[in-house]
Amino acid sequence: MSQTSPNSASIDDEYFRPHYHHESFVNELSKNAHYDDLTLALSMADAADRVSSTRFGALDLHVEDKPDHTPVTDADRETERTLRSIIAEHRPGDSVYGEELGKAESTGRRWILDPIDGTKNFVRGVPVWATLIGLEVNHELIVGVVSSPFLHNRWFAVRGGGAYMGMDVDHASRIHVSDVSQLQHASMSLSSLSGWKERGDRDKLIDLTDKLWRLRGFGDFWQYMLVAQGAIDIAAEPELDLYDMAALVPIVTEAGGQFTDLEGNPGPWGGCGLATNGRLHAKVLDYLR
């Protein structure tokens, strides 16, 4: 149920209605300095999807609790091994920061991997999970790929080349954030409330959500991709690691949005994340910091 109804007089100005038409962007993107890195990341996503998809819903799926009380499965580890083997073959000088198999410091070029973002969904049979692949070059997030095989969707971006939704550069739609500029017309997604309580900001968050048009819990990677494609306007989480965010940042920003921590510092470095369409960012920060 909606909290409030947007003013009908402003619908044309405030509602962004995405239109997706797949076409080839090979000629355009091939001019980008990091095109080869993007195509490698997309091929890595293909390989990851093959591994993770075969284990989704498997009766013999092995699940363990990590020290932080989050689950890890054999599918998480095997997917990350697959990604690391491709990097070792094609980019042997690059370092790797992964959720399951080691977090290396950057050598100037570093791949940042979350083999299965949404492991709790994966374990319970909820089809909202994805592999996240980010490339950091000299402390800048250059390439991002988010591949969700059971949502039958993929999002990707390269610095200076735009953001896209589609399986590869030859079959994709360019995506953009929304034009919504007022909180009372905005749609926001959260993953949970517990982290906000631990941070001491839950009351601030609730005050913010009272001002919105709509609040839903799409969660994890998906809420940030919905911001990038203009389907919602705000997504935020109070507790995140670098591997949760690195792939998301280029996609959100190349789609025209903003990605910061909850203090307003750009990028995925602050242990938390806020993504908006940009027009709402300062207003949301006013409530949350």
Side-chain angles (χ1 to χ4, degrees):
M1 182 178 295
S2 302
Q3 280 85 355
T4 59
S5 297
N7 185 333
S8 60
S10 65
I11 284 179
D12 285 340
D13 293 333
E14 295 287 358
Y15 280 175
F16 179 89
R17 295 178 289 281
H19 174 69
Y20 308 123
H21 173 69
H22 280 194
E23 57 185 292
S24 175
F25 291 91
V26 172
N27 289 339
E28 178 179 340
L29 288 174
S30 62
K31 300 179 179 66
N32 189 283
H34 288 279
Y35 179 69
D36 288 346
D37 290 320
L38 173 63
T39 57
L40 177 61
L42 290 167
S43 69
M44 289 164 60
D46 290 338
D49 286 355
R50 287 191 291 270
V51 174
S52 59
S53 294
T54 60
R55 300 299 293 151
F56 183 58
L59 295 178
D60 63 343
L61 184 72
H62 180 67
V63 185
E64 301 173 18
D65 267 344
K66 294 191 289 188
D68 63 358
H69 303 296
T70 60
V72 60
T73 72
D74 59 273
D76 293 81
R77 293 186 175 120
E78 186 56 34
T79 300
E80 187 168 324
R81 286 190 195 98
T82 297
L83 294 171
R84 285 173 176 268
S85 69
I86 296 172
I87 294 167
E89 178 182 355
H90 294 278
R91 299 290 189 274
D94 294 1
S95 57
V96 181
Y97 184 105
E99 180 176 9
E100 309 302 344
L101 303 178
K103 302 176 180 179
E105 295 297 324
S106 178
T107 58
R109 286 176 50 95
R110 179 169 60 165
W111 295 87
I112 303 169
L113 310 174
D114 190 341
I116 298 179
D117 185 60
T119 300
K120 291 178 182 178
N121 283 345
F122 190 92
V123 168
R124 293 295 300 271
V126 179
V128 183
W129 49 271
T131 293
L132 313 186
I133 301 168
L135 174 62
E136 174 197 357
V137 179
N138 298 325
H139 205 60
E140 298 287 338
L141 277 303
I142 299 298
V143 170
V145 174
V146 173
S147 191
S148 182
F150 276 75
L151 288 181
H152 308 288
N153 217 340
R154 184 178 289 176
W155 300 261
F156 60 90
V158 60
R159 174 69 64 88
Y164 302 86
M165 184 169 64
M167 296 308 292
D168 54 51
V169 295
D170 213 26
H171 304 86
S173 296
R174 193 185 294 271
I175 56 175
H176 302 277
V177 296
S178 74
D179 291 323
V180 173
S181 60
Q182 298 181 47
L183 289 175
Q184 64 264 35
H185 298 158
S187 179
M188 181 178 185
S189 175
L190 302 171
S191 290
S192 71
L193 289 175
S194 58
W196 296 93
K197 181 179 180 181
E198 293 171 11
R199 185 181 169 88
D201 288 343
R202 188 159 66 176
D203 289 344
K204 295 179 184 178
L205 177 69
I206 291 171
D207 286 345
L208 168 63
T209 61
D210 285 343
K211 303 296 187 295
L212 303 174
W213 169 54
R214 194 167 189 253
L215 176 68
R216 289 294 184 269
F218 299 106
D220 299 320
F221 71 93
W222 197 22
Q223 58 192 9
Y224 299 97
M225 297 302 93
L226 291 173
V227 170
Q229 69 187 69
I232 67 173
D233 315 297
I234 307 162
E237 289 179 271
E239 296 175 313
L240 294 170
D241 201 301
L242 180 57
Y243 52 71
D244 295 309
M245 298 182 279
L248 312 179
V249 172
I251 300 172
V252 170
T253 56
E254 286 294 323
Q258 270 186 272
F259 196 111
T260 72
D261 64 19
L262 295 174
E263 297 299 323
N265 302 303
W269 316 109
C272 50
L274 170 65
T276 76
N277 65 358
R279 303 184 71 178
L280 294 166
H281 210 83
K283 296 175 183 179
V284 175
L285 284 172
D286 284 344
Y287 279 89
L288 297 181
R289 66 181 172 188

